[in-house]
Amino acid sequence: MRILFTSWAWPTHLYAMVPLAWSCRNAGHEVLVASQPGLADVALRTGLPYAPVGRDVDAEAAFREIVATPPGANGGGPRVLKLFAEIADAMLDDLVDLARSWRADLLVFEPSAFAGPVAAAAAGVPAVRHLFGTDLLGGRAAQFLPAVLEPLAARHGLTGVDPFGVATVDPYPAGLQLAQVGSRRLPVGQVPFNGPGVAPSLPEPGGRPRVCVTWGTTMGRLGPDYFLAGTVARALAELELEVVVAVSPEQRALLGPLPDGVHVVVGSPLQLVLPGCAAVVAQGGAASLLTAVSYGLPQVLVPRLPDHTRHAARLAETGAGLVVPARDADPAEVVGALRRVLAEPGFREAADRLRRELAAQPSHTEVVAELERLVVAAPR
């Protein structure tokens, strides 16, 4: 088969699909990644073939507008949908041409890449949605999707394009996932991919609990005031803890001065940092949250963006962590939440339940076999 994977130009959205894309290649299928030009370097560093489609859209400006929305204002959700529609408009025509000329048999898209299901329908091939976090575009949000897709579909003479595809690959355990609508769930186990990097050089864990502080890749791009990793690390350093801060090379300067004894890991994939840790303090992004779940680690989450807030709330509902709202947070609140997470065994027990549930989900190899069956069964 020829399988086209598509994401718009935001690295973590593509990263979630990389393990499945490589599993498809290992099973003997041709794979191609299609995204906006701005994702070229990131896509090529996955080792997968890449094709640019469409033009770039200034997503960072939109996210800065969203993150600055006052608490309680109802501007985040509609602005996010508008952004995703703008991105789909920029990608669609080239993606349709690529799906047809490359003669794709299947198109796999992440849920905010609205051009994906439209391009698949235009090319006459099945579309499969691949989640990267909790299913935020299911539930009530689903009622808005057909209207968003309608003008895009009309450009190619289509009506009634299903925004959910024929199936949904879901790397989140069911106990952490929201109610899903629209297409059959294909659960898949977690093979963390957080980009290429070098394994960290850390001392063996000592007698004190080791806590990892990480702030993802988004918040530092939106502005230094939103990147709280340094502030949090300085507060936690006052406790009887071993603090490890995991950052990208671009984020290192944003940390500010840190106390002696705080370990800073630069450019290492998160899954190489977490072994030996007792807990994670983070911003609530889908990728870092799931990576911590795969190690059975309780979490303290300080979310600010709407999707981070909803991912974090869902984790807290499972009992595997606590949420400290970023707009109201001071370091003392984060410290207090971490004290609870480390002291009360229920948090680790809940986190371990999620880890075991995730580990029991089907492998990527099994999901590839399901994709093969979907293509065979698709109308010709």
Side-chain angles (χ1 to χ4, degrees):
M1 297 191 302
R2 289 185 168 185
I3 306 174
L4 185 60
F5 285 78
T6 191
S7 167
W8 61 278
W10 209 255
T12 52
H13 292 204
L14 172 62
Y15 284 172
M17 299 191 291
V18 168
L20 180 60
W22 270 107
S23 292
C24 290
R25 284 192 59 137
N26 291 339
H29 303 298
E30 291 187 61
V31 166
L32 182 62
V33 171
S35 185
Q36 295 163 286
L39 199 66
D41 289 345
V42 169
L44 291 171
R45 287 167 63 203
T46 69
L48 296 165
Y50 158 77
V53 291
R55 65 185 186 280
D56 289 319
V57 171
D58 190 356
E60 285 188 21
F63 284 134
R64 288 190 190 97
E65 178 184 330
I66 291 164
V67 81
T69 302
N74 190 26
R79 183 65 186 94
V80 168
L81 284 175
K82 181 182 177 185
L83 171 63
F84 293 161
E86 292 170 355
I87 292 168
D89 179 75
M91 293 176 61
L92 178 60
D93 295 337
D94 283 358
L95 188 61
V96 170
D97 290 344
L98 177 63
R100 288 171 171 165
S101 64
W102 191 61
R103 300 190 304 279
D105 297 297
L106 176 69
L107 192 150
V108 180
F109 67 100
E110 53 92 355
S112 59
F114 293 167
V118 180
V125 300
V128 168
R129 193 171 59 133
H130 193 304
L131 299 181
F132 56 81
T134 51
D135 194 359
L136 301 183
L137 292 173
R140 288 188 300 171
Q143 64 185 300
F144 302 107
L145 295 184
V148 174
L149 265 60
E150 184 177 340
L152 300 170
R155 281 212 317 246
H156 292 274
L158 302 168
T159 58
V161 172
D162 187 343
F164 301 103
V166 297
T168 294
V169 177
D170 187 358
Y172 263 44
L176 184 57
Q177 187 56 268
L178 300 171
Q180 185 175 304
V181 300
S183 63
R184 178 167 66 99
R185 180 176 184 258
L186 298 178
V188 67
Q190 166 73 336
V191 177
F193 183 83
N194 295 292
V198 178
S201 177
L202 287 169
E204 288 295 317
R208 298 178 299 168
R210 176 177 288 179
V211 174
C212 176
V213 177
T214 184
W215 233 252
T217 59
T218 296
M219 303 313 295
R221 293 173 64 177
L222 304 186
D225 291 344
Y226 302 128
F227 187 77
L228 304 182
T231 300
V232 168
R234 282 185 285 276
L236 298 185
E238 300 176 5
L239 304 178
E240 289 297 314
L241 298 173
E242 183 183 350
V243 179
V244 176
V245 187
V247 295
S248 69
E250 298 78 14
Q251 294 169 342
R252 180 62 182 90
L254 300 178
L255 289 175
L258 295 173
D260 293 340
V262 173
H263 304 291
V264 178
V265 173
V266 180
S268 294
L270 185 59
Q271 70 269 19
L272 301 182
V273 181
L274 295 186
C277 289
V280 173
V281 182
Q283 86 294 0
S288 56
L289 187 155
L290 185 59
T291 303
V293 165
S294 71
Y295 284 90
L297 298 178
Q299 302 176 57
V300 174
L301 301 176
V302 190
R304 194 173 189 113
L305 283 170
D307 61 322
H308 295 176
T309 298
R310 293 180 68 184
H311 297 317
R314 184 69 196 107
L315 183 85
E317 288 168 0
T318 71
L322 291 172
V323 174
V324 179
R327 295 184 186 278
D328 306 322
D330 64 41
E333 292 184 66
V334 178
V335 168
L338 183 62
R339 285 184 189 275
R340 280 193 59 194
V341 161
L342 292 174
E344 298 176 22
F347 291 106
R348 177 167 285 279
E349 291 166 0
D352 193 60
R353 282 196 298 272
L354 291 177
R355 180 196 62 79
R356 287 184 278 110
E357 184 179 352
L358 181 59
Q361 294 194 158
S363 69
H364 284 83
T365 300
E366 292 173 277
V367 172
V368 172
E370 286 291 331
L371 300 184
E372 294 167 348
R373 286 188 279 271
L374 287 173
V375 171
V376 170
R380 299 294 178 178

